[in-house]
Amino acid sequence: MTKLQLNKKGNLNHLLTTEGLNEDLIFKIFNLADSFLNINNRDIKNVPLLRGKTVCNLFFENSTRTRTTFEIAAKRLSADVINLDIPSSSQSKGESVLDTIDNLIAMGADIFIIRHSQPGIPEKIAKHVGPNVHIINAGDGHHAHPTQGLLDVFTIKKFKDNFKLLSTAIVGDIKHSRVARSEIFALSALGVPDIRLIGPKNLMPDNIKVSNIKIFDSMEKGLKDVDVIMMLRIQKERMTGDNIPSEEDYFTNFGLRKKHLGLSKKDAIVMHPGPMNRGVEIDSEVADSDQSVILSQVTFGIAIRMAAVSYTHLRAHETRHDLV
Ligand code: CP
């Protein structure tokens, strides 16, 4: 996977996963995102970095935040943007994903943003396309959601000083969460020494090979003195035969409520990738509190996606560019 997504100079050719990304590369993406944050505060928010390039959004699974912010990101980079409406496309007539991709490349597509319920589809497409076409994974099943993982750690950087001193907690259905996996690899690459996973035992993963992880099945123990609380939705659409507690039980045991904020550090931030289920994994009083940075995550997502799309394309072609 790492070989597939990095070129010989160690720059991004595709973005398929945060697994294997190193600190240096993540900070290069952050620096680029910072320059785009400045641009996003200007009256005219567009830069010509991808003028003449075509970005295709292929969302085989529903999305609000990822799809919209990728579209905004590509438009701010002056790319032409195609949002293929999958239900009304020839997918409904039995065309394979790779045939759809080949046809869009024949029309001049340069970059594909892919969301699919099946893990591995973006990687399969990346193996299929030629060297001038770039693939960004916008979420594939339970496997990975790399731009979400990156925008989450970018958000943490905006509110906290030093990754190497942080205690972070990821709470909820870790087992089925591509977001949790992508966050864990990014936090680990940045040297976060304390990554806690909190949730019911049957919703814990058994195959994440990251050394500095601690597992808790109690909010009271797991949230003690943490700097960052990252909540997750129960991923019912990816559960097969897992024992799901009732939503009421789940909220009682693992829903984040105001009383929990007394366990974490006073200035802890509360995060959620969305979509949120209020009253299931998080109480409105917390979601809308001063400690919540949930909507900042969405805003920073535009800058991170601008960085991912432009970095993947321009670095892969060794193109010089001035951003502002
Ligand atoms: N966080 C996230 O992926 O949200 P969407 O499903 O709305 O894109």
Side-chain angles (χ1 to χ4, degrees):
M1 180 76 82
T2 307
K3 275 188 187 154
L4 187 62
Q5 73 175 355
L6 300 181
N7 67 16
K8 282 184 186 150
K9 293 198 168 174
N11 289 317
L12 281 180
N13 192 33
H14 309 288
L15 179 56
L16 305 172
T17 172
T18 53
E19 188 174 5
L21 295 186
N22 63 30
E23 187 176 20
D24 182 51
L25 188 50
I26 293 175
F27 273 107
K28 280 182 183 159
I29 295 170
F30 283 0
N31 290 340
L32 199 47
D34 273 327
S35 67
F36 291 131
L37 273 187
N38 296 334
I39 289 168
N40 287 341
N41 290 329
R42 297 192 318 208
D43 247 9
I44 296 173
K45 297 178 170 57
N46 298 53
V47 288
L49 276 178
L50 292 187
R51 190 157 58 201
K53 301 295 175 192
T54 301
V55 174
C56 284
N57 269 328
L58 265 62
F59 279 64
F60 297 87
E61 192 193 80
N62 292 344
S63 167
T64 297
R65 282 145 289 270
T66 312
R67 178 175 162 152
T68 312
T69 52
F70 263 118
E71 181 174 353
I72 294 170
K75 285 180 172 166
R76 290 199 181 156
L77 293 166
S78 306
D80 297 320
V81 182
I82 306 294
N83 291 309
L84 191 69
D85 181 37
I86 300 294
S88 66
S89 75
S90 291
Q91 284 280 310
S92 63
K93 299 175 193 164
E95 184 171 71
S96 74
V97 173
L98 294 184
D99 279 332
T100 300
I101 296 286
D102 284 343
N103 279 270
L104 292 167
I105 292 172
M107 297 175 207
D110 300 288
I111 300 169
F112 290 94
I113 316 296
I114 309 284
R115 170 169 287 192
H116 204 288
S117 57
Q118 206 177 312
I121 292 288
E123 183 181 352
K124 182 175 166 183
I125 297 170
K127 281 180 180 155
H128 176 76
V129 298
N132 293 328
V133 175
H134 308 287
I135 308 300
I136 297 188
N137 180 2
D140 61 330
H142 67 275
H143 171 237
H145 193 351
T147 55
Q148 182 71 49
L150 290 172
L151 78 87
D152 290 342
V153 287
F154 184 71
T155 303
I156 293 172
K157 186 169 178 291
K158 293 291 168 202
F159 291 93
K160 298 288 163 195
D161 293 332
N162 186 348
F163 284 112
K164 304 216 163 34
L165 298 175
L166 285 185
S167 285
T168 58
I170 304 175
V171 185
D173 176 9
I174 318 276
K175 182 175 178 179
H176 303 99
S177 174
R178 57 194 176 205
V179 173
R181 295 169 70 82
S182 294
E183 287 168 344
I184 289 166
F185 291 125
L187 290 169
S188 177
L190 294 171
V192 173
D194 185 9
I195 304 171
R196 306 182 193 179
L197 308 182
I198 307 174
K201 284 194 174 95
N202 65 332
L203 296 183
M204 281 293 151
D206 45 23
N207 60 351
I208 293 189
K209 297 180 186 74
V210 172
S211 55
N212 41 350
I213 279 182
K214 294 186 201 108
I215 292 179
F216 296 85
D217 61 3
S218 134
M219 295 284 267
E220 281 64 31
K221 287 183 190 151
L223 290 177
K224 198 163 167 14
D225 294 330
V226 294
D227 301 282
V228 179
I229 306 171
M230 306 160 97
M231 301 306 297
L232 298 172
R233 182 175 63 86
I234 295 185
Q235 319 278 309
K236 283 187 190 155
E237 70 276 23
R238 290 183 211 129
M239 289 184 171
T240 48
D242 290 297
N243 196 8
I244 317 168
S246 73
E247 290 188 350
E248 291 75 20
D249 278 356
Y250 185 82
F251 185 63
T252 302
N253 292 314
F254 296 102
L256 187 68
R257 279 157 287 155
K258 197 166 177 198
K259 67 171 187 177
H260 296 123
L261 299 184
L263 302 165
S264 57
K265 291 212 181 114
K266 256 194 196 148
D267 60 351
I269 55 171
V270 174
M271 305 176 68
H272 194 305
M276 251 190 307
N277 287 318
R278 292 168 183 261
V280 179
E281 71 267 6
I282 190 165
D283 194 17
S284 283
E285 201 180 3
V286 177
D288 303 328
S289 72
D290 289 346
Q291 284 174 259
S292 166
V293 298
I294 292 168
L295 292 178
S296 297
Q297 289 173 260
V298 178
T299 307
F300 291 142
I302 298 172
I304 281 289
R305 288 180 172 127
M306 287 174 82
V309 172
S310 54
Y311 193 96
T312 305
H313 186 78
L314 297 173
R315 291 285 174 166
H317 296 286
E318 304 291 332
T319 309
R320 280 182 58 87
H321 59 280
D322 296 315
L323 292 173
V324 285

